[in-house]
Amino acid sequence: MHRVTGIGGIFFSAKDPATLRAWYQKHLGVDVQEWGGACFMWADDSGKPATGRTIWSIGEGDNFKPSTSTFMINYRVADLAGLLKALREKGCNVLDKTDDSEYGKFGWVMDPEGNKLELWQPPAGQ
């Protein structure tokens, strides 16, 4: 089974999200939007737009729980249900909660170091 197909997003937890966002915007030129993050559109080697995007966001980290880590990586997957099933069968710590929304299907797993990882199956055609 093809498992991870790419990185869908990187999420940071911060003590002072507004200040950290401003630092990234000022010093690295990240186009931080009102919702607290940026969307990097994919391009091919020549710079021509390609289908896909990677989200980058700074927040307070409540959605990282039960992890105490200051980051969470969102991995793009082709078959969320199949991957969650396979991970459970291998004894991985797969969280019970899943989400299905207009943005796609989401599931979560804890790695052996206690980091929460988000698995995302984009909507059809994305």
Side-chain angles (χ1 to χ4, degrees), residues 5-8 39-45 47-54 76 120 122-126:
T5 61
I7 304 264
C39 181
F40 294 97
M41 301 306 290
W42 295 354
D44 66 16
D45 291 340
K48 184 178 173 183
T51 302
R53 64 186 62 103
T54 301
R76 187 179 169 113
W120 168 56
Q126 290 191 23

Side-chain angles (χ1 to χ4, degrees), residues 17-48:
T19 299
L20 190 57
R21 289 180 199 127
W23 185 91
Y24 274 92
Q25 191 165 28
K26 178 180 179 181
H27 297 289
L28 297 181
V30 176
D31 185 23
V32 179
Q33 301 296 306
E34 287 184 33
W35 54 270
C39 181
F40 294 97
M41 301 306 290
W42 295 354
D44 66 16
D45 291 340
S46 69
K48 184 178 173 183

Side-chain angles (χ1 to χ4, degrees), residues 78-98:
D79 177 10
L80 180 64
L83 179 54
L84 293 177
K85 181 178 184 278
L87 291 171
R88 282 188 179 98
E89 289 171 354
K90 294 287 186 181
C92 295
N93 183 4
V94 177
L95 302 181
D96 290 333
K97 179 185 176 195
T98 59

